[in-house]
Amino acid sequence: MNSSPLAQIPAVETGIGISAVERDVGLGKDTLRVWERRYGFPTPLRDSFGERVYPAEQVAKLRLVKRLMDQGQRPGKLLGQSVAALNEQLGTPATTGDADATADWVVPLLKQRELDRLRGELSQRLAREGLQRFVIETVPALNRRIGDGWMSGEIEIFEEHLYTELIQNLLRASIHGLSSRGTTPRVLLTTIKDEEHQLGLLMVEALLAANGAACVSLGAQTPVGDIAGAARATGAEIVALSFSGACPWRKARDSLIELRAALPPAVALWAGGAGLAGRARKLAGVLTIEGLGDIAVTLADWRAGRTG
Amino acid sequence: MNSSPLAQIPAVETGIGISAVERDVGLGKDTLRVWERRYGFPTPLRDSFGERVYPAEQVAKLRLVKRLMDQGQRPGKLLGQSVAALNEQLGTPATTGDADATADWVVPLLKQRELDRLRGELSQRLAREGLQRFVIETVPALNRRIGDGWMSGEIEIFEEHLYTELIQNLLRASIHGLSSRGTTPRVLLTTIKDEEHQLGLLMVEALLAANGAACVSLGAQTPVGDIAGAARATGAEIVALSFSGACPWRKARDSLIELRAALPPAVALWAGGAGLAGRARKLAGVLTIEGLGDIAVTLADWRAGRTG
DNA sequence: ATAGTCTTTTTGTCCAAGACAAAGCGGTTG
DNA sequence: CAACCGCTTTGTCTTGGACAAAAAGACTAT
């Protein structure tokens, strides 16, 4: 196919087709075309047959937009802005940590499909740092590194899924290894509106388990109605919900209110995740958790209030 | 969303939308529409807004067609046939083994994402049966079971990928554990025209390694030009190619001829896989391998010819 | 002010018919 | 039998229009 070194160079230099953009960025063909019509971006070139050819810079901007949309923003507001402005919005919210550079090692292992070595390396760090530090520091750093890798185009969506599966397996095994007999309190864990927020849920579960709680996770996307029933069935003393950044606040709030009404007053309701960051501090009967680091403290507080 | 038990029942009973078909069957929306226009199949119903609604039976037939297409057949010939006729074409070629029922256990473990237990179960069987029997009997049975599961709609494409990754990791680890020092002959392994045929390649590598050969795998999709170079660089005595059922015979043949010309006469060229089954027995200088079971024998023959 | 309701905008996905290039098939010829 | 060449098949892209689901914004009442 590419035995002739000259044949494909122009195509590579000018850009990629609409299918490739769909695959690499994760925006549907229909969406890409309708954005072009409505918002005037992207503005792909055309090849000799009139088909769209997206230059690399436009693909990069599309990736930025997609990422901000995954955090709940809307395309109409984003597509008009400059790349610099978009980058700023993306840079501010996070810790902009320096620890991210330390996570560079995942990328080559993932790219070259050295999954066994990757798994080994992760296990080793987990053993060295302990579950709590691993979940609070290392995993978020890795997640950020993977996200950045996707942004720059060096990591494909499929590889991101692979990474997520790996981490999840590791955490599950680790949680499973902790003795859950006689531990207290019993915590029921779940999310309402999916996202691939499953990993976040698992991280919370790991922290709770590491601090001696007995967790029951329902997985993601549990209908609000079922949660109360499950809480009764498992005799949970705390119900904890996680909301991703993509979850619109109104829906989060409504779900929490509905669930609070359905739960017995004696059962505590905890809520956390990027979708609530800062906002709903004062919902009656709902305790908002600001970050992963707060989990251990909140649990200790609960115990103090319970026993005292 | 689905708190009202009545709201969604009609939609579930009549069928699924075009996006769901694309996701579940793996045929693009454009393709589905153009088939309808050209071949008169499928003939989806329309909902109140005029959007296509595919009944379950038509989805099942589409899955059949897709599977036969993956074996190299063309849609124009398939879409006119009855489901019975299609099933017959699909039923004949395989071993129609009874061992498949024994592989039923994978499905629940995969569906419930019990990947750790799945991995454990696979490792255990591998240890019990030995690498050779595991690759020749168990893995093909599992593959068939997974394929059937996809056919019946019980397994999603993503879950199939998950399974494949798992098996591949297991085989890689197993191959890695075999000492490769001083073994002979040196075999260069690869495929030309991708497919997800990577797993097949790995199975061959495992068998060769288990029989004392020193394998170097280039992975899938190596350009024909590079193979000869790699053979020289690694000092390989045998070059082995694998062709999936989807690879058209002409391309396989051309590649083999071209490669045979590029390789030194002293280097043997072996070819196998469903893409060659029965056909090209007498290409000059190319040894056709009929099945996984033949690999050990062929290797022994080579050693006999070499030493004697 | 905060919560609830209604209206308006935004946004993704679907539809239709047409077009063309790349790949494959089949018949013909050496 | 093998290689060539024209015809057919087939997937993907195009345009422009349309609408429903979801979210934002305006407004009112507590």
Side-chain angles (χ1 to χ4, degrees):
Chain A
M1 267 302 187
N2 45 12
S3 51
S4 161
L6 288 169
Q8 291 195 349
I9 289 187
V12 169
E13 276 191 320
T14 48
I16 62 180
I18 194 170
S19 283
V21 176
E22 176 175 39
R23 173 171 39 80
D24 291 356
V25 183
L27 295 165
K29 300 194 237 295
D30 280 318
T31 304
L32 288 167
R33 284 192 276 255
V34 92
W35 280 6
E36 185 179 338
R37 200 195 315 166
R38 284 188 188 142
Y39 312 113
F41 185 89
T43 48
L45 310 172
R46 299 296 176 128
D47 66 7
S48 56
F49 172 51
E51 302 191 346
R52 292 173 172 79
V53 175
Y54 294 83
E57 332 130 17
Q58 295 197 22
V59 176
K61 180 168 175 183
L62 285 172
R63 260 194 277 257
L64 265 173
V65 170
K66 167 76 162 130
R67 190 177 226 201
L68 284 165
M69 278 177 53
D70 287 344
Q71 296 183 3
Q73 307 224 35
R74 312 194 76 193
K77 316 272 177 181
L78 297 171
L79 286 167
Q81 300 181 36
S82 70
V83 173
L86 294 175
N87 256 317
E88 196 181 4
Q89 291 193 50
L90 204 51
T92 355
T95 354
T96 338
D98 51 303
D100 295 26
T102 329
D104 280 341
W105 56 272
V106 269
V107 179
L109 288 181
L110 194 57
K111 291 298 296 182
Q112 288 153 36
R113 293 289 190 289
E114 307 238 41
L115 299 194
D116 287 311
R117 279 184 54 199
L118 179 50
R119 196 189 333 271
E121 183 69 31
L122 288 170
S123 308
Q124 207 172 324
R125 294 197 182 231
L126 170 57
R128 195 187 314 143
E129 302 172 357
L131 184 54
Q132 183 146 344
R133 219 184 102 201
F134 183 73
V135 170
I136 293 182
E137 295 176 16
T138 305
V139 176
L142 289 170
N143 290 349
R144 245 174 284 137
R145 184 64 188 83
I146 296 289
D148 291 347
W150 176 81
M151 272 296 306
S152 66
E154 68 182 328
I155 284 183
E156 314 249 349
I157 302 183
F158 177 64
E159 291 163 334
E160 188 168 346
H161 288 336
L162 228 55
Y163 159 80
T164 306
E165 274 301 332
L166 223 64
I167 290 270
Q168 290 192 0
N169 274 339
L170 188 61
L171 290 182
R172 285 209 188 89
S174 205
I175 292 169
H176 185 75
L178 297 170
S179 160
S180 65
R181 286 184 305 169
T183 54
T184 176
R186 264 190 294 277
V187 183
L188 187 74
L189 264 177
T190 188
T191 69
I192 53 156
K193 178 79 175 177
D194 73 314
E195 305 302 320
E196 56 218 60
H197 202 42
Q198 236 179 334
L199 177 53
L201 193 67
L202 208 54
M203 288 163 67
V204 173
E205 184 179 348
L207 285 180
L208 287 170
N211 284 280
C215 291
V216 178
S217 176
L218 300 181
Q221 309 180 55
T222 311
V224 184
D226 297 1
I227 300 178
R232 200 176 315 116
T234 59
E237 296 154 285
I238 300 171
V239 172
L241 292 192
S242 174
F243 296 88
S244 82
C247 183
W249 178 47
R250 303 174 72 117
K251 182 164 291 182
R253 190 188 51 122
D254 291 350
S255 307
L256 284 172
I257 292 174
E258 186 185 342
L259 185 56
R260 178 67 275 180
L263 284 174
V267 175
L269 180 55
W270 295 1
L276 293 184
R279 304 206 216 195
R281 309 176 191 228
K282 42 185 170 182
L283 274 177
V286 179
L287 184 57
T288 307
I289 296 178
E290 287 297 327
L292 291 174
D294 284 6
I295 291 183
V297 182
T298 309
L299 195 59
D301 285 351
W302 185 90
R303 286 204 176 99
R306 200 60 164 181
T307 56
Chain B
M1 269 300 189
N2 45 12
S3 50
S4 162
L6 288 170
Q8 293 194 349
I9 289 186
V12 170
E13 276 189 318
T14 48
I16 62 179
I18 194 171
S19 284
V21 177
E22 175 176 39
R23 173 170 39 80
D24 291 356
V25 183
L27 294 166
K29 299 193 237 294
D30 281 317
T31 304
L32 288 167
R33 283 192 276 255
V34 92
W35 280 6
E36 186 179 338
R37 200 195 317 167
R38 284 189 188 141
Y39 312 113
F41 186 90
T43 49
L45 311 171
R46 299 295 177 130
D47 66 9
S48 56
F49 171 50
E51 302 193 345
R52 291 173 174 80
V53 175
Y54 294 84
E57 330 129 19
Q58 296 198 22
V59 176
K61 179 166 176 185
L62 285 172
R63 262 193 276 259
L64 265 174
V65 170
K66 166 76 161 126
R67 191 178 224 201
L68 285 165
M69 279 178 53
D70 287 344
Q71 296 183 5
Q73 307 225 36
R74 311 194 75 193
K77 316 272 177 181
L78 297 170
L79 286 167
Q81 299 182 37
S82 71
V83 174
L86 294 175
N87 257 316
E88 197 181 2
Q89 291 193 49
L90 204 51
T92 357
T95 354
T96 338
D98 53 304
D100 296 26
T102 329
D104 279 341
W105 56 271
V106 268
V107 179
L109 289 181
L110 194 56
K111 291 298 296 182
Q112 289 154 34
R113 294 287 191 291
E114 307 238 40
L115 298 195
D116 287 311
R117 278 183 55 198
L118 179 50
R119 197 191 331 274
E121 184 68 32
L122 288 171
S123 306
Q124 208 172 324
R125 295 197 180 230
L126 170 56
R128 194 188 315 142
E129 302 172 356
L131 184 54
Q132 184 146 344
R133 221 184 100 202
F134 183 73
V135 170
I136 292 181
E137 295 175 17
T138 305
V139 175
L142 289 170
N143 290 349
R144 245 174 286 136
R145 184 64 188 84
I146 296 288
D148 291 347
W150 176 82
M151 271 295 306
S152 67
E154 69 181 330
I155 284 183
E156 313 249 350
I157 303 184
F158 176 64
E159 293 163 335
E160 187 169 346
H161 288 336
L162 229 53
Y163 159 80
T164 306
E165 272 302 331
L166 223 63
I167 290 270
Q168 289 194 1
N169 274 339
L170 189 61
L171 291 183
R172 285 210 187 89
S174 205
I175 292 169
H176 185 74
L178 297 170
S179 160
S180 65
R181 286 184 306 167
T183 54
T184 176
R186 263 189 295 278
V187 183
L188 186 74
L189 264 176
T190 189
T191 69
I192 54 156
K193 179 78 175 177
D194 71 317
E195 303 305 319
E196 56 218 59
H197 201 42
Q198 237 179 335
L199 176 53
L201 193 67
L202 209 53
M203 288 163 68
V204 173
E205 183 178 348
L207 285 179
L208 287 170
N211 283 281
C215 290
V216 178
S217 176
L218 300 181
Q221 309 178 56
T222 311
V224 184
D226 297 0
I227 300 178
R232 201 176 314 117
T234 58
E237 296 153 285
I238 300 170
V239 172
L241 293 191
S242 174
F243 296 90
S244 83
C247 183
W249 177 46
R250 303 172 71 118
K251 183 164 291 181
R253 191 188 49 121
D254 291 350
S255 307
L256 284 172
I257 293 174
E258 186 185 342
L259 185 56
R260 178 67 275 179
L263 284 175
V267 175
L269 180 55
W270 293 2
L276 294 184
R279 304 207 217 195
R281 308 172 192 231
K282 42 186 170 181
L283 274 176
V286 179
L287 184 57
T288 307
I289 297 177
E290 288 297 326
L292 290 173
D294 285 5
I295 290 183
V297 183
T298 310
L299 195 58
D301 285 350
W302 185 90
R303 287 206 177 96
R306 199 62 163 181
T307 55

